[in-house]
Amino acid sequence: MKILVIGSGGREHALCWKLAQSKGVEVFASPGNPGIEEIATCLPSGGGSTLQPDLTVVGPEAPLVEGVVDHFREKGLRVVGPTRQAAQLEGSKTVAKHFFEQSGIPTAQFMTVDNAEDARRALDRFGFPVVFKADGLAAGKGVIIAHNRAQAEAARGALHGRLIIEEFLRGEEVSFIALCDGRDALPLAPTQDHKAVFDGDKGPNTGGMGAYCDSHILTEAQTRHILDCVILPTVERTKFTGFLYAGLMMTAEGPKVLEFNVRLGDPETQPLMHRMTSDFVPALMAAAEGKLGGAQLEWRSGPSVCVVLASAGYPGAYESGKPIRGIAAAEKRGVTVFQAGTRLGTRGLETAGGRVLGVTASGADLPAAIAAAYRGVDCVTFEGMHYRRDIGRKGLSYSKA
Ligand code: AMP
């Protein structure tokens, strides 16, 4: 069976790594990256459809919003992902917020803002802190939390075009991802991302500096509630296919949706794939064929942790072309190093993006998984490398429970 993965980041490396462990599967990636090249065949961008794959999984949001799923389906190809129209739930924050409102899905109160007068009214209504969101795709970086008027002014200057201003929610964030087939939804294990660049959730937001996957993040009752109140109403109303990712804030009043993504998270996919023990292919195939009912996934009992190693300056401007050392030594210590922003230069592997690597480990419990991941991190170096030292730390309070 030929399976094609579209994309080139750490999420796609983790997916290819998992799929390559399935029997009778040949994995292709378009365009892939040097890490993926070691376990799969990489094809140029856009080269995937001529392959006639038996199954395609789309990683990033941009091709989904452009309609790659519609295009593959027109050719009669099986594909896991939402249609162009359903992808608008991620492609436009205003579309998403109106959808939440109309569907009774719990979310932060908000106002759509087109000018200074609208912004003034929103600030009067919500007070500080308050959240500014750009309407379109922004790779996780289109959200600014303003704590005073000066920061609110700066946020309005930094985010162009139509904005959403919304109430600030307090609580723990959870990434809840479900594989959907237009009718049914199969939840993946819960994960927690770390969006801010520095320890203690300080500094600007990034695409994600690390994630962990642990069954303790949600109780069974919370999982059921999220399925019933957020995921299934969305699947029913939009006939959603592919991965529906609800970024949730677990507030004192219950879970509220911060955003929908219409694909797997990056870096959440890295610990998810590390922790999943079942063969992923039957569930993906069932989702693509609209026959998900009854499908199940198994997970290790212990958690998994992924620490992202980033280039100096990220999430702002950064330099590329820095030689990367120590991946093999890290893997000897039992971690899996998923590659994201890397390329092969004349001197070997070098940096080629903001988020460069995702060092991923599993353990019997959360302290063990965290320690294992950082033992791997200690082996890797490139000039200017920075990373958070507190990935998974919030979860330590649950894992003692
Ligand atoms: P989003 O892209 O909407 O998920 O926002 C990115 C990040 O900004 C989230 O993961 C939160 O950490 C933060 N955030 C977004 N909306 C809110 C909100 N209403 N209240 C508090 N934090 C928020």
Side-chain angles (χ1 to χ4, degrees):
M1 186 195 294
K2 289 188 284 189
I3 304 188
L4 171 67
V5 173
I6 294 180
S8 64
R11 163 185 48 212
E12 290 77 22
H13 189 180
L15 259 176
C16 289
W17 174 85
K18 179 67 185 164
L19 298 177
Q21 294 169 36
S22 297
K23 285 217 172 63
V25 167
E26 201 182 349
V27 185
F28 295 80
S30 169
N33 68 35
I36 295 174
E37 183 92 60
E38 290 174 17
I39 51 172
T41 306
C42 292
L43 307 169
S45 266
S49 58
T50 50
L51 179 74
Q52 291 289 316
D54 298 292
L55 178 67
T56 299
V57 184
V58 187
E61 54 276 27
L64 293 168
V65 170
E66 282 162 22
V68 68
V69 166
D70 311 60
H71 183 65
F72 272 58
R73 288 208 184 126
E74 276 158 25
K75 293 190 175 183
L77 295 169
R78 286 186 207 92
V79 56
V80 177
T83 59
R84 190 162 79 93
Q85 199 192 354
Q88 280 301 310
L89 286 174
E90 174 164 0
S92 164
K93 296 256 190 215
T94 46
V95 168
K97 290 298 285 195
H98 288 118
F99 176 79
F100 301 150
E101 207 171 40
Q102 285 157 13
S103 314
I105 292 175
T107 189
Q109 292 184 49
F110 72 101
M111 288 172 76
T112 309
V113 168
D114 285 308
N115 54 46
E117 176 56 24
D118 292 348
R120 199 186 52 72
R121 262 188 279 136
L123 295 186
D124 286 346
R125 173 165 166 204
F126 298 125
F128 293 103
V130 69
V131 185
F132 283 71
K133 299 190 173 184
D135 185 33
L137 285 181
K141 288 169 256 170
V143 175
I144 298 177
I145 295 167
H147 294 268
N148 51 47
R149 288 215 175 255
Q151 289 179 359
E153 269 312 304
R156 242 170 54 76
L159 304 174
H160 302 287
R162 168 168 279 196
L163 299 180
I164 297 263
I165 297 185
E166 69 178 31
E167 90 181 286
F168 180 81
L169 299 176
R170 284 166 220 279
E172 283 249 345
E173 282 188 63
V174 175
S175 303
F176 190 100
I177 306 175
L179 177 60
C180 308
D181 71 350
R183 193 174 43 197
D184 289 313
L186 174 64
L188 307 188
T191 49
Q192 193 170 61
D193 187 9
H194 298 63
K195 290 233 168 72
V197 66
F198 301 127
D199 287 8
D201 295 332
K202 301 279 190 301
N205 272 343
T206 67
M209 292 299 287
Y212 76 103
C213 175
D214 187 346
S215 58
H216 291 102
I217 292 173
L218 293 176
T219 63
E220 285 203 8
Q222 285 173 318
T223 299
R224 189 69 249 169
H225 178 75
I226 294 163
L227 270 173
D228 289 343
C229 297
V230 177
I231 303 293
L232 289 171
T234 303
V235 175
E236 193 176 311
R237 286 193 61 155
T238 63
K239 307 281 173 277
F240 192 92
T241 54
F243 293 99
L244 180 61
Y245 165 142
L248 301 169
M249 189 70 91
M250 304 301 289
T251 73
E253 294 150 30
K256 294 194 180 176
V257 180
L258 296 175
E259 63 164 348
F260 269 168
N261 293 320
V262 296
R263 33 99 193 156
L264 283 163
D266 187 340
E268 290 93 331
T269 306
Q270 290 82 321
L272 278 166
M273 293 303 110
H274 218 261
R275 201 174 153 235
M276 187 187 290
T277 50
S278 40
D279 185 345
F280 203 12
V281 173
L284 292 170
M285 207 54 161
E289 292 182 339
K291 297 175 187 161
L292 201 49
Q296 284 196 334
L297 294 169
E298 304 287 334
W299 308 87
R300 291 177 204 261
S301 61
S304 302
V305 173
C306 170
V307 180
V308 169
L309 307 182
S311 293
Y314 176 79
Y318 55 82
E319 287 178 18
S320 294
K322 311 293 181 196
I324 301 169
R325 304 217 164 74
I327 291 181
E331 298 207 311
K332 274 206 193 110
R333 290 190 172 184
V335 303
T336 308
V337 180
F338 295 120
Q339 298 189 25
T342 64
R343 66 178 177 227
L344 276 175
T346 47
R347 297 169 297 170
L349 195 69
E350 57 186 40
T351 64
R355 295 189 294 166
V356 179
L357 303 171
V359 179
T360 310
S362 294
D365 56 20
L366 191 55
I370 292 171
Y374 282 101
R375 269 198 305 277
V377 170
D378 286 343
C379 299
V380 180
T381 55
F382 54 84
E383 192 189 312
M385 174 176 114
H386 71 97
Y387 58 90
R388 279 182 62 160
R389 287 169 172 77
D390 64 349
I391 303 302
R393 193 173 290 167
K394 278 188 212 154
L396 293 175
S397 56
Y398 309 101
S399 67
K400 281 193 217 104

